[in-house]
Structures are given as C-alpha cells and as structure tokens.
Amino acid sequence: MEQEKNDGINKDTVLPLPIQQNRPALSCGLKIRKMMKTVPPCLGKFRPVVGQCCHQCTPDSLSKKLGQNYSLGFHNLLSVNETQTRYRGWLVRRVCCALFVSGCKVYGSPVSGRLERVCQSHRVKKALTAEHKAPEGADGHGQLDCLSPFLPLINTCISSGVLRFVCWAMLKMFASVFGSIQVNLNHLSALHRASQEGSLLVYVYVRQSAVDCALIPLVLFYHSLRVPYTVCPLQIKNASLRSILQKVGVVLLPPSAPTEEDAEMDTLYQSVMTALVRELLHEGQAISIGVSERSGLGGQWLARIRQLIKEGSVPDVSLVPVGISYDCVPKTYIQVDVGLRSIFQWLWCLFCWRPEGSVRIHLAQPFSVKEMCESGRCRVDEWLPLQDLLLPVILNNRAGSAFGQRRVSWLLPSSYYASELQEPSRSERNLSIAIILHLIFSATSCMAVMPTSLMSSLLLYKHRKGVSTSVLCRDVAWLTEELLFRNKDVGFGGSLTEVVHYSLSLLAPHLIIAAAPSKKDPLIVPCPSLAATLHLSYMAKTVTHAFISEAVGACAVSAMLCEVAHSGVSSSVRSDVEGVEVKGDTEFDVVLCQSELTARALQLCHLLPPGFMPPCQSSQSFALDAIDSLVRCGILIQEEVPRDVPICDFWKKQEGPLTWTTSDDPYHSDSDCEEPDLCSYKIRQPSHCPEMLFFLCRMLAGHLRALCWTTMGLDLFEMPLAEAEFVAQIHSHLCDTANKKKQHYESCSEEAAHTAVRTLIDLGVLLEEWQKGGVFLAVSPLFQLSENRQKLHRFISQYLYN
C-alpha cells in the first residue's frame, strides 16, 4: 500500500460529472436520494500499489526502486494549460496545446544503414535461399528486389515534425472522445531512470481497441520519454495514410497480407521482422506490442525478443506491462481492413459524438527478460496436456487430479519458428509462452476497475432481475471496498450519488430504468438482449479478474453442494455430524472437507482461459488460495472438531512408537512426524453480503456454460470442418441456444466460442488434422460415444450455479 499525498497532482482523480446526453431514460433525472456518503478511491490515506514486478520470477527487478515515487499521482493528458509551457498570457492560453507539443522532447530515430544490415542478416539470407527468391551468390540488388514488399516496413522511422503534429491532432481528437485520460505517475520516474541508463524498453498491453496502440506513444511523448516503434495489427490500404503512420514509428502489416495470421505464415516476413527488431534494439529504440488475450496474437514478437537475447544479439530487454482501462471502450475494435473512407467515417463519428467516459493508464514496473528466463524461477517442466490432467477424472471418476500446469502451446504455434536455423526445444518454447502468459496476467492486473465495470458486474451477477437505486448504491460502496482490499485500483472517486449516476449514464442504452411516481427509487434492470448482455459481460471482466480466486472457490463449493443434492449422501459430509439433511431447494447444513474442496478447485483451474492465473504459480497453490479466500470472505468457516486429547497436550500425543525422518531433507519440519489434521468447513452467509457465494459463482458461469453447450452440440455438425468455419458455427449454435432459452446471452460471444473450441481441442475431444486448406477439426473416436460426452457435460455443469 502507498500513502496518498495532497500535492495537487491527484486533483483529476475525482470522477467527472455525468455527461448530459439526449437519453430519455436519464434526461428526467434519476430519483436517487442525496447521500453524504462518498466512494473513496483508497482506504484511508493509502491506495493500492499496482504494477509491481513478480516477487517470484523477478525479485531482482522488484528490488530495483530506480527512484520510484509512490505518491500515486494521476495526471489528465487532456488538461493542457499555460503552466506546462514557458510562456504566459491570454494568447498562450488559446494555443497552449501547440506550444506544449512543440516543447516536448523527441528522441532521434536514425535509419541510415538499417536496410543494408537487415539484408545481411543470416535469417533473411536463409529465407531467401529456401524460397529460391535469391541464389546464394546473389548481389545486393537482387536481394533488394526480393525484399521490395518489406522495404517500407524496414524504413519505418520517427520524424520529429510529423510526430509533433500527429500528437497534437490526437490530443484534440481524444478530447472529443473521452472526458479524461488519467495516467498513473507512479512508475514514470523508474522509466525515466531506466531510459537514462540505456535500458531497452518494450511496452506490452492487452489488445482491446484500435485506440490502444495510439495511447501509449501519446503518453510517453507527453512525458518526454522515448516514443516506441508501435506494432500495429491493422491492414491499412491507403498509401498516404501508411506513409504518415510509418513516419511516426508504426510498423504495419505488408500490403499483400490481409491479416496478421497470414503475414506470420510467410517465412520471409518472419525473418525480416526478427532482423528489424534486432536492429531497432541495437539502435536503442523502444517497442510497443499488443497481445491478444483470446488467441495470443502478438506474442510472436515477444518470442523474437526472447530468441535474440538467447543468441546474444541483444544483452537484455526490460518489459513494461501497460494496463489500459476504459469507462466505455471505443467502437473501434480491431478490424482487418482499414481504408481512407473508413477513417474519415470514424473521424466524423468522433467529432459528432460528445465526449463520454474516461481512460486510466497504468505503466507497470519494468522487469528483466534475462532474469526471468535464466534464473530458473519460472518453472515450465510441470506443464502437461489438458487431457492428461482431466480425462482420468472425467471418464474414470478418479477422486484425485494430476498435479501440473496446463500446457497452452497454441499461444505460440511452431510455425512462428520457421525462420529460425533450429527449432527451439519444448522447454524453450514453453518458456516463451510463460513470458506471454505472465505479461497478459500482469497487464490485466494493472487495469483499474472503472465505475461502468463495477456497475456491470453488479447488474449482471447480483441483480439480474432488477434492483432499486438505494440498494445499488449500497452494493457499489461494498464492492468498492472489497476491490481496494484486494489491492485493485479503482478508476473513480467522489460522492456515491455521482458515481452511480455517472455509471448509469454511460450504460443507459443497455439498461431498462423504470421510475414509478409512487416510489422514491427507480428500478434498474439489464436489458434482456444479446447486445446488452454481451456489453455488460465484457465490461465486467476486470471485476472477474479481481475476484478470480474467490470465484474458483465458490464454484468448487457449488460443485460439492450439487453432489450432495443429487446423491443425498456424499463423501464430503462427515458421518459423525448429526442433522445433515437435504431439503429441496432450501439451505442445508453440510460439512465440506478441505481436501475434496481443493481437488474440485484444482480441476476447475485447468479449465480457466489463459491470463487468469500467473504461470509462475502452481495450480495446486492457486486452488489452496481459492479456498482460503472464501474463509477470508466469511463464506466458509472452519469447523472445530472435538478431540479426546487436547491439541496442546504433546506428551499424550507422543504415546506409542516414535517415528523418525531424515535430517538432510531441506523441507523437514518438526511437525512432519504428526499426522496432518484434515480441516473441514461449513457454509454461512456473510452479514455484509448474504448472496456473495452466488455472486461469485455467476462470474464464471458464462465460460462454463459455453463449454457445456459446445459439448452437447458436437453431434449437430458434419465433420471435419475448417477451424475458422467450425468456430463460426459454434458461435451461431451458442446464439441459437441462448435465444431458445431467452437467457444466458453472456455465453454467446465470439470469445466464448473460440475459448470453448480451444479447450475441447486441448482436452482431446476435437482432433486437429492438417490439410492443404489449413487446420480441420473432427471429433475424436473417444468422444464420438454419447456416454463420454455426457460425462464431460456432467463434469463441467457441476460448477454451474443453478
């Protein structure tokens, strides 16, 4: 935790007043009672410290403070005034933005000789020879002819004048889109010190919108840090627009490749990009990379950096996770094809749209890639296929689970190493995947919980059937405190009335607000539509990430209660407990065994999508933390077991033969001779939130239900099918199933369909067949039997709260 200082920097952290818009649901004003209570952005005088390095993987980087200032001030990029310039006066106040941009420091970007050095790279020569585009003895002109599609990418530079103009234009444009762009100043001093020491910085963020790759260079330019070369996954067709972007350091896709996946299939492109990254790092340039949380696209750039460090071409690189949070994500999701006409249409919509919502950006503490890889602290030798971890439990009803981590090799396909002289070993490849997973987890953990995310989580997971504003205000205050206790930053502050009104103003198109004249509080209900539910589910993801341990533990409790309800007697119920009885849907008094609870939580951990768990933490440790978190929440209480001999009576416990252990065991403890005490828990409803168990269970229901529906719908498709076509058909099947049930629309997103298909592939339910047209999927012979599909469905559905 860190102390909040009243130094004037935090003046922009107060939530802006709600944007008045022509929305009939809120134009008449909500009948929210005026309350004096405020929603604090911190606990007392302290705020959470976010963005610190992993204490397990990179303790040396964590110990390097590098002049960090833990005041945790925030600054609004859009509030440029005359005090930030060297001039004063009424005229300066009107052109202060242009004066400020002209005074920002811009670092040089030399490109002289870069093309020649890229052409002389052994990777590029090997790729040209392998594809017979240039014979081994070809001269430089022959190589240039073969590399002509990639010459503009290699010659990407940062022009001082163009960069200042583009940044000025972005400040003006974002002022019409967002109410504010708050930047955490916590680790900026560390970045300044690292830049002065010559450290090579690579900024990594999780892709959410096309605006992401523009915000990071703008933030760094604003604070006179080196503007990075930005890897952009968009395909820009217009030649003029490509030329402008390439002069501000944007590395675009080649014109011949429609998508990022298609570009990475070209061995020559891979070789050129690896050589380009090597030259940029040799020049001392910074790089900005976006990674897709769903597919892992963008991670290949991190693998290239890791390979260069291993070869010794680059001494070391410092990775900087960046968390970007939106009140309302701009409607500019990653598109494949961007032309000049679409750009003008988007700009016209922006200027016609009134500014709404805020953005909060957290730049985390940089950490060393070399330290993470060579220290051996990030273990990847326990990674196992998902089918080895879960199939014995699913098909054979084994009580225990295989210990290990789930292997997610699809995040970094072997085709990305086609340009290498020698394909790396499985452990080296898993280490690169671990870096990708760690950065996804770190960047997601840095994200602040915005008021719309908090409100979406409450409406979707706690008050699905509607809630009054007075109850909603109470729950907002409760959930804010819970988030702050979990070391999560919140992107708002101010009076409770303003926070609720502001959030409802932004979410109004997805809500039904009914105000009866006889009642003081209006009723707020989420719209029962596909678009509204998907939007609320997407906004609530940051809250789910914050409560992931509690959600896993709650689903494990739900699975054991489901077993009790179906069988009447379970192995988890102690035989010496009297009065254990199941009475329909009412509450029942059961005692849950810690070992079985942990086993259920461990099995569920293997089904989580990538990014929810840090790869350096074992699944067993995460499962134990999940059960402990429910004890801290007050959902589980440890049962006191009566004993014949007091636990403190050591002499009576030692009666009988003595047991000995080896003294050279590094993990030896005096308590090893004792039998471990099996702990058991009872369920209770916390007074501060009686329905907290069900609130936590619903957080993972969308993902689990999509898995169930996909499993039961496998017999509806004619196999084999191309992977992209199969994912599209599964997405259509999920939407049709939800429309028939007229509920559970959160399970119908494209991300849910993609994650469900990928999980079934890892489980061995679907087999990948490589053909000329690409990857085709077919149901494995083991799961062509309906009995096995039913077993899989029962295993997944036990975690669903009904």
Side-chain angles (χ1 to χ4, degrees):
M1 305 294 284
E2 63 192 20
Q3 189 168 2
E4 179 86 4
K5 295 184 179 180
N6 298 323
D7 54 359
I9 300 178
N10 297 316
K11 60 185 178 181
D12 296 319
T13 59
V14 180
L15 189 74
L17 292 176
I19 308 298
Q20 301 297 328
Q21 300 187 12
N22 297 324
R23 289 173 178 165
L26 292 175
S27 58
C28 60
L30 291 177
K31 296 181 179 180
I32 302 176
R33 290 176 294 182
K34 298 295 182 182
M35 301 179 183
M36 298 302 294
K37 186 175 181 179
T38 61
V39 179
C42 55
L43 294 175
K45 294 184 178 181
F46 296 91
R47 294 191 66 135
V49 178
V50 296
Q52 286 190 315
C53 298
C54 178
H55 67 280
Q56 178 172 336
C57 299
T58 54
D60 296 338
S61 298
L62 179 63
S63 62
K64 294 180 181 178
K65 299 303 179 182
L66 291 175
Q68 296 178 51
N69 182 12
Y70 286 109
S71 63
L72 198 71
F74 286 86
H75 185 76
N76 183 10
L77 292 187
L78 304 181
S79 63
V80 180
N81 51 50
E82 62 176 328
T83 59
Q84 297 171 262
T85 67
R86 296 179 296 172
Y87 309 99
R88 298 294 182 270
W90 66 270
L91 182 59
V92 174
R93 287 192 290 271
R94 283 154 179 79
V95 294
C96 58
C97 184
L99 291 175
F100 171 75
V101 167
S102 64
C104 290
K105 184 177 181 180
V106 177
Y107 293 83
S109 175
V111 294
S112 58
R114 183 192 297 171
L115 178 59
E116 181 181 354
R117 292 191 297 270
V118 169
C119 293
Q120 296 301 320
S121 170
H122 64 279
R123 286 185 175 85
V124 175
K125 290 182 177 180
K126 176 199 169 188
L128 290 173
T129 305
E131 297 185 9
H132 305 287
K133 292 185 177 181
E136 294 186 4
D139 57 358
H141 294 287
Q143 289 184 349
L144 290 179
D145 293 338
C146 299
L147 296 176
S148 58
F150 307 109
L151 294 184
L153 279 65
I154 298 173
N155 291 325
T156 300
C157 63
I158 296 179
S159 173
S160 175
V162 178
L163 179 63
R164 295 183 192 277
F165 172 76
V166 170
C167 289
W168 172 83
M170 284 196 297
L171 286 173
K172 293 297 183 181
M173 181 184 67
F174 287 146
S176 65
V177 180
F178 305 113
S180 65
I181 301 177
Q182 304 284 346
V183 180
N184 185 359
L185 305 178
N186 187 14
H187 295 293
L188 281 180
S189 58
L191 295 179
H192 276 287
R193 181 71 62 84
S195 180
Q196 293 173 1
E197 294 178 353
S199 299
L200 301 175
L201 300 177
V202 175
Y203 302 88
V204 184
Y205 61 93
V206 175
R207 296 177 183 175
Q208 302 176 72
S209 167
V211 178
D212 299 338
C213 55
L215 284 173
I216 295 178
L218 180 62
V219 169
L220 299 176
F221 172 81
Y222 191 99
H223 293 94
S224 295
L225 284 163
R226 183 182 292 275
V227 175
Y229 280 73
T230 304
V231 177
C232 180
L234 300 179
Q235 177 55 272
I236 309 294
K237 289 295 185 66
N238 185 265
S240 302
L241 187 58
R242 289 181 68 93
S243 177
I244 294 175
L245 293 177
Q246 286 170 351
K247 289 182 179 180
V248 292
V250 180
V251 181
L252 300 170
L253 293 177
S256 58
T259 63
E260 187 177 9
E261 299 95 319
D262 295 329
E264 292 294 342
M265 292 297 105
D266 186 0
T267 307
L268 183 57
Y269 172 81
Q270 295 179 17
S271 305
V272 171
M273 290 300 103
T274 304
L276 177 61
V277 170
R278 177 179 179 273
E279 294 305 320
L280 291 177
L281 294 176
H282 278 183
E283 296 170 7
Q285 302 295 333
I287 302 176
S288 175
I289 300 171
V291 181
S292 173
E293 189 178 12
R294 182 181 75 178
S295 61
L297 280 174
Q300 68 273 13
W301 295 89
L302 297 172
R304 292 183 178 116
I305 294 173
R306 156 80 181 125
Q307 190 68 19
L308 292 172
I309 295 175
K310 182 186 175 184
E311 294 174 356
S313 302
V314 178
D316 195 8
V317 168
S318 296
L319 299 178
V320 184
V322 182
I324 305 176
S325 307
Y326 297 94
D327 268 336
C328 186
V329 180
K331 298 178 182 179
T332 57
Y333 298 102
I334 299 298
Q335 300 176 358
V336 175
D337 188 5
V338 179
L340 190 61
R341 181 179 179 182
S342 60
I343 290 293
F344 279 121
Q345 289 178 349
W346 179 62
L347 289 175
W348 176 255
C349 293
L350 290 182
F351 286 113
C352 293
W353 190 264
R354 293 186 179 183
E356 64 173 16
S358 300
V359 183
R360 180 159 290 200
I361 302 174
H362 285 276
L363 296 165
Q365 183 181 3
F367 65 90
S368 168
V369 178
K370 193 172 184 179
E371 178 192 0
M372 183 176 183
C373 296
E374 297 183 358
S375 62
R377 298 185 180 99
C378 187
R379 302 292 298 274
V380 295
D381 51 353
E382 297 180 354
W383 286 17
L384 297 173
L386 184 60
Q387 53 185 336
D388 293 350
L389 295 170
L390 289 183
L391 282 190
V393 180
I394 296 172
L395 300 181
N396 302 326
N397 291 324
R398 292 186 183 177
S401 301
F403 296 117
Q405 296 284 97
R406 174 186 175 183
R407 183 186 299 159
V408 283
S409 56
W410 49 269
L411 277 176
L412 195 63
S414 58
S415 59
Y416 290 167
Y417 290 100
S419 62
E420 299 299 327
L421 298 177
Q422 182 180 1
E423 186 173 345
S425 61
R426 173 173 290 180
S427 61
E428 290 293 332
R429 184 179 167 195
N430 287 343
L431 195 54
S432 298
I433 295 174
I435 295 175
I436 298 172
L437 290 173
H438 217 301
L439 285 165
I440 292 176
F441 176 80
S442 300
T444 306
S445 302
C446 288
M447 293 181 183
V449 177
M450 307 303 283
T452 49
S453 300
L454 186 143
M455 188 68 65
S456 299
S457 181
L458 288 173
L459 293 174
L460 196 61
Y461 303 139
K462 197 171 189 292
H463 303 295
R464 193 65 175 266
K465 296 182 179 180
V467 61
S468 63
T469 52
S470 59
V471 175
L472 191 60
C473 288
R474 181 197 66 194
D475 287 345
V476 166
W478 160 75
L479 189 55
T480 302
E481 291 183 357
E482 292 290 336
L483 289 167
L484 292 173
F485 274 123
R486 285 161 179 79
N487 204 37
K488 195 74 175 178
D489 184 39
V490 293
F492 54 90
S495 69
L496 191 59
T497 304
E498 289 179 355
V499 172
V500 174
H501 192 189
Y502 176 79
S503 305
L504 296 179
S505 300
L506 296 176
L507 296 176
H510 310 287
L511 305 176
I512 298 175
I513 303 177
S518 58
K519 294 185 178 181
K520 296 182 179 180
D521 293 343
L523 183 68
I524 302 169
V525 185
C527 289
S529 63
L530 175 62
T533 306
L534 288 181
H535 180 81
L536 295 178
S537 177
Y538 182 82
M539 297 303 300
K541 283 177 60 177
T542 52
V543 179
T544 303
H545 276 276
F547 284 90
I548 187 59
S549 295
E550 292 83 352
V552 170
C555 289
V557 172
S558 177
M560 295 192 68
L561 294 180
C562 180
E563 181 182 349
V564 173
H566 282 87
S567 62
V569 178
S570 170
S571 61
S572 61
V573 181
R574 285 243 318 269
S575 59
D576 59 341
V577 179
E578 299 179 359
V580 177
E581 185 177 3
V582 179
K583 299 179 180 180
D585 295 333
T586 61
E587 297 180 7
F588 44 94
D589 184 17
V590 295
V591 179
L592 306 178
C593 179
Q594 182 189 28
S595 60
E596 291 196 22
L597 264 179
T598 306
R600 298 297 176 93
L602 177 60
Q603 294 162 13
L604 179 57
C605 287
H606 299 319
L607 291 177
L608 292 179
F612 279 95
M613 290 172 47
C616 56
Q617 184 180 14
S618 66
S619 299
Q620 185 183 13
S621 173
F622 188 86
L624 291 171
D625 290 346
I627 304 304
D628 291 342
S629 65
L630 294 185
V631 178
R632 292 193 297 269
C633 290
I635 295 176
L636 295 180
I637 54 174
Q638 186 172 352
E639 187 198 27
E640 295 184 2
V641 181
R643 298 172 179 269
D644 297 334
V645 178
I647 193 172
C648 59
D649 196 344
F650 180 77
W651 289 106
K652 290 186 178 181
K653 291 174 64 177
Q654 290 297 330
E655 292 180 358
L658 294 176
T659 57
W660 302 88
T661 58
T662 58
S663 59
D664 58 349
D665 185 3
Y667 300 102
H668 167 71
S669 172
D670 292 338
S671 61
D672 289 345
C673 305
E674 305 173 13
E675 295 182 359
D677 295 326
L678 293 179
C679 185
S680 54
Y681 302 99
K682 281 189 175 182
I683 305 175
R684 75 171 183 180
Q685 295 183 351
S687 58
H688 55 274
C689 184
E691 298 182 356
M692 189 172 183
L693 176 65
F694 313 125
F695 171 68
L696 296 171
C697 287
R698 294 188 186 104
M699 289 185 174
L700 295 177
H703 167 64
L704 296 173
R705 190 175 291 108
L707 269 176
C708 289
W709 289 355
T710 304
T711 302
M712 298 309 297
L714 290 177
D715 55 347
L716 303 177
F717 308 104
E718 295 182 2
M719 300 293 215
L721 283 174
E723 183 176 1
E725 183 181 357
F726 182 73
V727 172
Q729 292 196 17
I730 288 294
H731 180 223
S732 177
H733 168 69
L734 296 178
C735 293
D736 293 341
T737 305
N739 287 327
K740 289 179 183 179
K741 297 178 178 292
K742 295 183 178 180
Q743 58 180 347
H744 306 316
Y745 292 108
E746 65 272 12
S747 302
C748 303
S749 64
E750 293 182 6
E751 181 180 358
H754 183 275
T755 305
V757 171
R758 181 46 58 184
T759 303
L760 293 183
I761 293 175
D762 290 348
L763 270 172
V765 180
L766 298 173
L767 297 179
E768 293 179 307
E769 300 177 1
W770 294 87
Q771 300 180 11
K772 289 184 178 180
V775 180
F776 284 74
L777 300 179
V779 180
S780 65
L782 183 62
F783 284 92
Q784 288 178 359
L785 301 175
S786 60
E787 179 184 359
N788 290 336
R789 292 200 301 269
Q790 288 287 347
K791 289 181 179 180
L792 177 59
H793 180 269
R794 283 196 299 269
F795 173 78
I796 301 172
S797 60
Q798 69 176 331
Y799 296 105
L800 278 172
Y801 162 71
N802 188 357

